[in-house]
Every structure is written in structure tokens, then in C-alpha cells.
Amino acid sequence: MKRKITAILTSAVSAVSAASLFAMNAFAEEAAGGNSDAAAAAGTGGGMITTLVIPLVLMFVLLYFMAIRPQKKREQEAKAMQESLQVGDEVITSGGIVGMVVRIGDDTVVIETGGERHKLRIKKWAIGENITANDRAKAAAVKTKTKLASAGVSDSAEDEKTKKSKKKKDEEE
């Protein structure tokens, strides 16, 4: 989805840059109509540089915000997850191996897998997901949600839907 959007935006920027290039050339030719050919060529050369530089800068800015910045954010989140590993966490490697963390080294982690408790030593960068940390985050989200609910504050549309469905059930009874 993001690749399609990026491709569409890139083609739109290139189309706009081509249109602006043709418009600037037409304007320069019209403005230099009474001058000599050398003056007209010098005038369009300067305009041509700006019409090429501005779209290129726009494309690089677009590329940065659509591709580079989100990738760096994902890398930082993955690194933070790998650094926050604890003994006893359940992890999934990028290869699909599921196991429990037994020991943590500088750049390696020992995990236990299977019913026979096989131990594997893997690199931290190979860990793709920390299931236990995800469960902790969900529990923290539920805990904050229950605090809001106990205070009588509702921030989601789901709470309103459940209230309406309870009201309908009460009316039916």
C-alpha cells in the first residue's frame, strides 16, 4: 500500500516538474521575444536550473518522509525491543523459532525451544518479536482503560456501543 502511494506521489511530482519545466521555457521564450538568441538562451538556462532543482529537492523531501524516516523509526523500535529483553520473555525469531529467553549476553541470547527444552544461542538482531513485552503493553493499556472507566470517563466508541447493547438487552428483558 505504501509502495503504491509512494509510486503515485513520485510520478505526480515528476509530472509536475515536467509541466513546470515546459511552462518556464514557454514563459522565458515569450519574455525574450525581442532580444537576441544569446540573451534568450542565457535567460532560459537560469530558469531551467531552478525548474530542475526545485522538483528534485521536493522528491528527496518526499522520499525522506515516505521511506527513510519510517524505516529509521522501525529500526529504533526493534533495537529498543531487543535491548529490553529479560530472562523469561517469550520471543519469536525472524526465522519463526519460538522460545523462552534463558540467558542474555552482550550480543547473543540463549533461548529454550520445544518440549525437550532444546537451547539455541542466537544473535539479538535475529529476534523479531517479544511476545511477553507485547502482553505487558496490552495489560498496561487495559489497566489505564479501567482507570478511565472507573472514573466514569469514556474515550472510545466501543464503550458507547457496549452501553447501547446493554441498554437494548435490558429493554428486551
Side-chain angles (χ1 to χ4, degrees), residues 32 35-44:
N35 296 340
S36 67
D37 290 336
T44 58

Side-chain angles (χ1 to χ4, degrees), residues 99-165:
M100 298 284 285
V101 176
V102 176
R103 186 174 56 223
I104 301 172
D106 290 336
D107 63 341
T108 61
V109 175
V110 177
I111 61 171
E112 282 185 350
T113 61
E116 291 84 31
R117 304 278 185 200
H118 295 287
K119 293 184 180 178
L120 298 172
R121 191 173 111 209
I122 59 172
K123 294 283 190 177
K124 281 187 178 180
W125 58 261
I127 296 174
E129 186 178 352
N130 186 345
I131 297 172
T132 310
N134 291 345
D135 292 342
R136 278 185 247 143
K138 287 178 185 176
V142 168
K143 194 178 284 185
T144 57
K145 187 176 180 181
T146 57
K147 287 180 182 177
L148 286 175
S150 64
V153 177
S154 176
D155 199 22
S156 67
E158 291 181 3
D159 290 339
E160 294 174 16
K161 289 179 182 178
T162 56
K163 286 180 184 177
K164 288 180 182 178
S165 64

Side-chain angles (χ1 to χ4, degrees), residues 6 9 16 30 53 56 83 96 109 115-116 118 130 139 146 151 157 164 172:
T6 305
L9 289 175
V16 167
E30 186 177 301
V53 170
L56 280 174
E83 294 298 322
V109 175
E116 291 84 31
H118 295 287
N130 186 345
T146 57
K164 288 180 182 178
E172 290 174 0

Side-chain angles (χ1 to χ4, degrees), residues 19-80:
S20 65
L21 176 66
F22 292 129
M24 291 299 278
N25 283 339
F27 179 72
E29 288 175 4
E30 186 177 301
N35 296 340
S36 67
D37 290 336
T44 58
M48 198 145 84
I49 290 174
T50 58
T51 58
L52 291 176
V53 170
I54 292 172
L56 280 174
V57 169
L58 288 174
M59 286 193 325
F60 281 118
V61 167
L62 183 68
L63 178 70
Y64 175 77
F65 282 109
M66 293 295 288
I68 297 170
R69 189 173 176 215
Q71 180 64 28
K72 284 185 179 180
K73 187 176 180 181
R74 274 186 247 119
E75 288 174 3
Q76 288 176 348
E77 288 173 354
K79 188 169 186 164

